[in-house]
Amino acid sequence: MRTLRALRRAGRGENAGNARGLDARLLAACFAVAIVLFPFQQGLCGAWKSPPYVTIEQGKGRFPLVKEGEAAPLIASRQEFPGVLRVLKHFQGDIERVSGCQAAMVLDTIPRTAAVVVVGTLGESPLVDRLAAEGKIDATVIKGRWEAFLLKVVEEPLPGVAQALVIAGSDKRGTIFGIFDLSAQMGVSPWYWWADVPPKRKEAVYVLPGPFVEMGPKVKYRGIFINDEAPALSGWAYEKFGGFNHRFYEKVFELILRLKGNFLWPAMWGRAFYDDDAKNPELADEYGVVISTSHHEPMMRAHDEWRRYGSGPWNYELNEAKLQQFWREGIRRMGSYESIVTIGMRGDGDEPMTEEANIALLERIVRDQRRILEEVTGKPASTIPQVWALYKEVQEYYDRRMRVPDDVTLLLCDDNWGNIRRLPKPDAPPRAGGYGIYYHYDYVGGPRNYKWLNTNQVARVWEQMHLAYEHGARQIWIVNVGDIKPMEFPVSFFLNYAWDPERISAEELPEYTRHWAEEQFGLEHAAEIGQLITRYTTYNSRRKPELLSVSTYSLVNFREAERVVADYAALEQKARRLYQTLPEEYRDAFYQLVLHPIEACANLNELYVTVGKNHLYARQGRAATNALAQRARELFNRDAEITHYYNKILANGKWNHMMDQTHIGYTSWQQPETNIMPEVQEIRVQERGEMGVAVEGSESWWPADKDTAVLPEFDPFHKQTYYIEVFNRGKEPFQFSVRAGEKWLQVKPHKGRVATEVRVWVSVDWDRVPVGRHRARITVSGPEGKVVVLAPVHNPSEPRPEAVQGFVESNGYVAIEAEHYTKTVAREGVKWQRIPDLGRTLSAMTPFPVTAPPQVAGGDSPRLEYAVHFFSSGQVKVKTYLSPTLDFYGDGGLRYAVSFDEQPVQVINMHEGRTFQDWEASVRNNLTVCTSLHAIDKPGQHVLKLWMVDPGVVVQRLVLETGDVKASYLGPPESCHRSAGPE
């Protein structure tokens, strides 16, 4: 490894001649070792987990792509694929973007010069084939492979040429990927156009000798689905390009290829890829982007084409001949273009077929479609790539034993919310057509649309697609990306991960995000930007913006709403400070990729919390009620201002309409026509000042409530601080005072003047409080009376805080983040695996490997243990917070088990008895909560055990309820603990 470290330093610009004495032979040997130990990878823009091969420093054996104001000429053959030549022109532009130098592009001629770049596809480029035949490149490592490529510096490759950089592909896309890989290594982000990421400027560009070999992807077809494109994408596309024509799609094709994707479902609502512009499919085929049609558009015909050209009902039983004619034209028009034909049939407009539809009919439809394929193409249907999407009700037909020929790819789907519905079992027989996955980053439908901003945690995407890959779904991965923007980061991840899922482990997800930030913005701020991206996607995925309401977060319990607003505000402050720090040329990209989703969602969450407080204050008659109404209006207006900046000001209006999507005021699954200001309340405030008192943990106010005001309990383990709010119900300010009934009870401030409201903080001096349970009095005095607040205090004799083991009960609960286990037990390679940054609060734990057989819980089987100290005994509810994973085997549900100490194990099925309404609640909340009941016979130290039964269960946290726990969306904050798990 010592020589590899030296090699990495050499790649970062240190003089190769000084790399611990490495000569050219040793350097080449090191690269050979690097290829064995670190196979050249495209985990991220050509650099993820692979030694960089581009440097700005000259050195022995390095190829001068740009040197002293000149760029090496680009050599290719006229016999080369036109798409490769087109991409070579993109590369020509990339060189100029990076260095300011223009590289000559020469076809079929070898200029007599010191250095040339030779680009070609095996079997298509005579020059590349000649270099392979002469042994100057080893083409055997990529020959015959799918989308493989190599880069190598060759000395004296041709007469009169001292040095050549050879980029050779096994096929058309392999060569294209090799070209774009070098672009990325030079510093051109795949998002240079789509997100205005500036290229990393360099005066000199050298390529290390190599060879660098990429053996091709692990998932064969990897792509995106442009969907739900109105009003944002459609408004933008018509303004900038005149519609969804070849000028628009050229930008899409380039982006897909730069991300090493190869597959597209085109825009389809009111659009028709083939019919809107005849150049669309021609250009796609030239670039090498494989075109298909979405899950409900069979036989290469867009949905809108039936409206344009169809005749009669979209019903095979009633209109068989017209439908066959319609489909036949789609296959005829497809011609020899590289395509995947969608087969099957759904109802018109992405609806289920009629209730009368049956499996026999659908099987007949598929047979007839395959007959059309053979008759029109003259080829056996088994040789034509086809896909059957098991979307929504179609999966039910599959579950009821409907089958299609073995050569057809079965496209398994998620539930539109990122939870995969069905996977083949590990022992399922292989299919010639294999399996694929259709996934969603964007959706229109119940329980509510979500298509405004990115709300996707890549950790959850990783977890679900890792499941898919390990279960053999490796033929097609396609993701619904809505309008493409603002899904830049998760789109990158999806296609990067699809290239080789084995190269990004769960532990490496934070580093992936940091590295992606580095690719866009450079090394200096990459760690901080990566954290910003991780945090905002965590916050946004807790509850999608379209699902937010004034009651989402608790206004009084655990300061939940305040913490949500404060967390967003802190994140926005960090992002805005960094925005000001970045060089000017990076700010537009940073705004799009980082700052905008943070500030927009920070503003929206504050809006809903402010309206919620306005409603609460109105019920309590607070003088601040009307000010909160005005603040809510300001936040609503700021949302419009943020949208205006993105559409009209950012990048000189380049992205106008991209933020046209409405997102405030949903009342059903469908979007409102315009953003609707949430209803606020205003009250008539009397002139005379009047004191009201509220306490943390209650929506009541005093003296109106005749019950005694009681704060949550204090204890020395959590060292809580709670608040009392003294508020004014009138316009005139008044004086107040607060007196604690015990010397060890601290209140700050203890007096003051109230114009609208003052928060009094209550804490305990634990060095002075006596052992035992106490209910200390706090008296709040105002101009017309007093309110007594009780402060429950629990100071047990044991354990002492410094001697506590594990988690400690307080206020009727113990809250545990799953990764904070005291002990983990693995067995025969089966273990619980941490997935960082997955879930609503911290991370998650899931059984590994995901294809392991079910385990019998108990004894020494795989488990997590959590030490817990209870001060109470009796019934305990264990609420397990789970990611909303579906029963992907269809076997009746996924199971885990829970027990305390040596008590019998309770097996819980997370899907048993769950209804459609339960599923809706799970996806709204991005969480499934399961409850088990246990008995604790005595207070003291206990061990909670979380047992593995089925793989696929993803545990985020556990809440052990020993009493009545206050309601909240995220659950109570984690309890005081000392844990052996990762902190």
Side-chain angles (χ1 to χ4, degrees), residues 359 363 396-403:
I359 290 175
E363 289 177 338
E396 298 173 15
Y397 306 147
Y398 177 77
D399 290 344
R400 285 156 50 194
R401 307 303 297 171
M402 176 180 170
R403 291 296 179 261

Side-chain angles (χ1 to χ4, degrees), residues 58-215:
Q58 188 173 6
K60 188 173 182 180
R62 299 178 179 185
F63 178 82
L65 185 59
V66 177
K67 175 184 177 182
E68 297 176 354
E70 292 188 3
L74 312 177
I75 312 300
S77 169
R78 294 184 191 277
Q79 300 177 33
E80 185 56 72
F81 290 106
V84 170
L85 299 181
R86 182 182 286 272
V87 168
L88 197 55
K89 290 180 181 178
H90 287 304
F91 181 65
Q92 197 178 24
D94 290 345
I95 291 173
E96 188 169 5
R97 290 181 187 96
V98 168
S99 67
C101 300
Q102 214 171 30
M105 185 169 164
V106 183
L107 300 181
D108 291 337
T109 303
I110 308 299
R112 291 187 174 272
T113 183
V116 297
V117 179
V118 177
V119 178
T121 307
L122 295 178
E124 302 293 330
S125 169
L127 183 52
V128 168
D129 289 345
R130 173 182 168 183
L131 293 172
E134 293 175 355
K136 294 181 178 178
I137 62 169
D138 182 6
T140 61
V141 295
I142 63 169
K143 188 175 182 179
R145 300 189 68 89
W146 178 266
E147 299 177 350
F149 64 87
L150 67 83
L151 288 86
K152 183 183 180 183
V153 177
V154 178
E155 304 295 335
E156 298 182 357
L158 301 162
V161 178
Q163 199 177 40
L165 171 63
V166 180
I167 305 174
S170 63
D171 53 22
K172 175 169 62 177
R173 282 189 294 271
T175 308
I176 288 171
F177 293 156
I179 295 169
F180 278 147
D181 196 84
L182 179 53
S183 286
Q185 287 256 356
M186 283 195 307
V188 179
S189 167
W191 298 99
Y192 82 96
W193 190 87
W194 278 95
D196 302 302
V197 177
K200 314 300 185 293
R201 299 285 294 186
K202 298 175 177 66
E203 293 184 0
V205 178
Y206 292 90
V207 179
L208 301 181
F212 302 95
V213 179
E214 175 52 79
M215 303 298 283

Side-chain angles (χ1 to χ4, degrees), residues 97 109 228 370 459 906:
R97 290 181 187 96
T109 303
D228 311 324
R370 285 169 66 86
Q906 293 189 35

Side-chain angles (χ1 to χ4, degrees), residues 299-364:
M299 302 294 278
M300 301 304 292
R301 297 304 298 262
H303 166 257
D304 202 57
E305 289 187 81
W306 184 252
R307 180 187 63 81
R308 300 177 191 184
Y309 307 116
S311 175
W314 181 266
N315 184 308
Y316 201 71
E317 287 184 299
L318 301 177
N319 204 15
E320 176 180 322
K322 292 290 179 64
L323 281 164
Q324 286 194 15
Q325 181 182 351
F326 180 73
W327 291 338
R328 190 176 294 273
E329 171 59 21
I331 302 306
R332 184 205 62 76
R333 188 178 58 184
M334 175 185 76
S336 61
Y337 296 145
E338 192 176 5
S339 310
I340 300 179
V341 179
T342 298
I343 62 172
M345 189 176 184
R346 293 194 77 218
D348 193 12
D350 197 15
E351 294 292 332
M353 292 180 66
T354 62
E355 291 184 9
E356 293 76 22
N358 55 55
I359 290 175
L361 172 64
L362 287 168
E363 289 177 338
R364 178 161 67 88

Side-chain angles (χ1 to χ4, degrees), residues 298 663 689 893:
H663 48 275

Side-chain angles (χ1 to χ4, degrees), residues 623-663:
T625 300
N626 298 342
L628 284 175
Q630 179 56 31
R631 174 60 180 162
R633 296 186 188 100
E634 292 170 357
L635 292 165
F636 181 78
N637 292 335
R638 183 170 181 245
D639 178 271
E641 292 168 0
I642 292 170
T643 297
H644 176 79
Y645 178 82
Y646 195 110
N647 281 344
K648 301 293 187 180
I649 309 301
L650 174 69
N652 297 317
K654 178 179 177 181
W655 303 112
N656 188 31
H657 297 296
M658 274 296 192
M659 281 301 127
D660 282 358
Q661 181 60 52
T662 53
H663 48 275

Side-chain angles (χ1 to χ4, degrees), residues 359-476:
I359 290 175
L361 172 64
L362 287 168
E363 289 177 338
R364 178 161 67 88
I365 289 171
V366 170
R367 285 196 301 271
D368 290 348
Q369 289 171 338
R370 285 169 66 86
R371 176 176 51 80
I372 292 171
L373 282 173
E374 293 185 334
E375 291 174 355
V376 174
T377 66
K379 302 175 183 177
S382 60
T383 66
I384 301 169
Q386 297 153 68
V387 63
W388 183 41
L390 306 185
Y391 185 70
K392 290 191 175 179
E393 81 287 345
V394 180
Q395 182 187 298
E396 298 173 15
Y397 306 147
Y398 177 77
D399 290 344
R400 285 156 50 194
R401 307 303 297 171
M402 176 180 170
R403 291 296 179 261
V404 296
D406 192 63
D407 58 89
V408 176
T409 300
L410 295 184
L411 191 67
L412 307 166
C413 303
D414 69 355
D415 61 354
N416 304 305
W417 293 76
N419 309 299
I420 293 174
R421 297 177 68 200
R422 187 70 79 238
L423 289 171
K425 293 184 178 180
D427 59 354
R431 292 179 51 83
Y435 298 89
I437 296 292
Y438 170 37
Y439 203 75
H440 283 76
Y441 286 165
D442 169 288
Y443 178 58
V444 169
R448 191 158 291 179
N449 299 345
Y450 65 96
K451 52 179 181 170
W452 175 44
L453 291 177
N454 174 33
T455 59
N456 301 283
Q457 281 187 311
V458 297
R460 178 62 169 171
V461 178
W462 181 94
E463 184 268 328
Q464 286 288 285
M465 297 311 294
H466 174 77
L467 269 177
Y469 179 77
E470 293 297 324
H471 283 82
R474 305 182 180 188
Q475 187 73 1
I476 299 172

Side-chain angles (χ1 to χ4, degrees), residues 629-923:
Q630 179 56 31
R631 174 60 180 162
R633 296 186 188 100
E634 292 170 357
L635 292 165
F636 181 78
N637 292 335
R638 183 170 181 245
D639 178 271
E641 292 168 0
I642 292 170
T643 297
H644 176 79
Y645 178 82
Y646 195 110
N647 281 344
K648 301 293 187 180
I649 309 301
L650 174 69
N652 297 317
K654 178 179 177 181
W655 303 112
N656 188 31
H657 297 296
M658 274 296 192
M659 281 301 127
D660 282 358
Q661 181 60 52
T662 53
H663 48 275
I664 307 175
Y666 274 78
T667 57
S668 68
W669 69 268
Q670 184 57 288
Q671 65 201 40
E673 290 299 314
T674 60
N675 287 329
I676 300 171
M677 169 69 193
E679 182 182 354
V680 293
Q681 299 177 19
E682 293 190 344
I683 61 174
R684 176 174 291 181
V685 180
Q686 64 189 18
E687 290 295 328
R688 178 178 54 84
E690 178 186 336
M691 184 181 77
V693 173
V695 299
E696 182 167 350
S698 175
E699 292 190 1
S700 298
W701 70 279
W702 288 265
D705 194 313
K706 300 309 177 184
D707 293 330
T708 303
V710 182
L711 288 166
E713 187 176 74
F714 297 81
D715 68 69
F717 306 96
H718 299 86
K719 293 184 168 60
Q720 300 94 334
T721 299
Y722 298 122
Y723 66 79
I724 299 170
E725 277 183 339
V726 183
F727 60 86
N728 197 343
R729 290 169 48 84
K731 294 180 181 178
E732 294 177 357
F734 63 83
Q735 300 292 322
F736 79 97
S737 63
V738 184
R739 181 174 58 83
E742 301 289 348
K743 293 182 179 179
W744 39 262
L745 198 61
Q746 301 170 332
V747 294
K748 294 181 181 179
H750 60 87
K751 64 179 179 179
R753 179 176 181 270
V754 178
T756 55
E757 58 193 32
V758 172
R759 185 165 281 188
V760 176
W761 294 100
V762 183
S763 59
V764 174
D765 182 351
W766 292 103
D767 291 334
R768 302 173 66 187
V769 65
V771 169
R773 291 186 180 272
H774 312 276
R775 289 172 71 85
R777 292 168 61 91
I778 302 169
T779 304
V780 183
S781 301
E784 294 181 345
K786 300 177 180 180
V787 172
V788 173
V789 178
L790 295 181
V793 177
H794 180 209
N795 187 23
S797 58
E798 61 178 22
R800 300 311 301 160
E802 62 275 8
V804 72
Q805 296 294 315
F807 291 81
V808 181
E809 176 191 3
S810 179
N811 282 291
Y813 70 86
V814 178
I816 302 170
E817 295 293 340
E819 74 165 50
H820 291 157
Y821 51 82
T822 308
K823 177 183 177 182
T824 180
V825 175
R827 179 183 177 189
E828 297 178 356
V830 179
K831 63 176 184 177
W832 285 88
Q833 169 70 46
R834 172 179 176 261
I835 305 178
D837 304 313
L838 194 164
R840 306 194 312 176
T841 50
L842 182 62
S843 63
M845 303 294 293
T846 191
F848 257 45
V850 295
T851 55
Q855 305 291 300
V856 177
D860 200 33
S861 69
R863 65 188 181 276
L864 298 171
E865 295 186 358
Y866 302 88
V868 179
H869 191 95
F870 289 120
F871 294 106
S872 61
S873 61
Q875 179 176 279
V876 175
K877 293 181 182 178
V878 175
K879 291 188 174 180
T880 306
Y881 287 33
L882 304 157
S883 294
T885 306
L886 299 179
D887 176 16
F888 51 80
Y889 287 156
D891 277 351
L894 301 179
R895 300 161 298 167
Y896 66 97
V898 179
S899 66
F900 277 99
D901 305 322
E902 302 308 316
Q903 294 180 6
V905 171
Q906 293 189 35
V907 177
I908 296 96
N909 185 327
M910 67 177 289
H911 298 108
E912 186 175 12
R914 297 187 71 81
T915 65
F916 176 76
Q917 289 71 30
D918 292 324
W919 170 81
E920 286 194 314
S922 290
V923 296

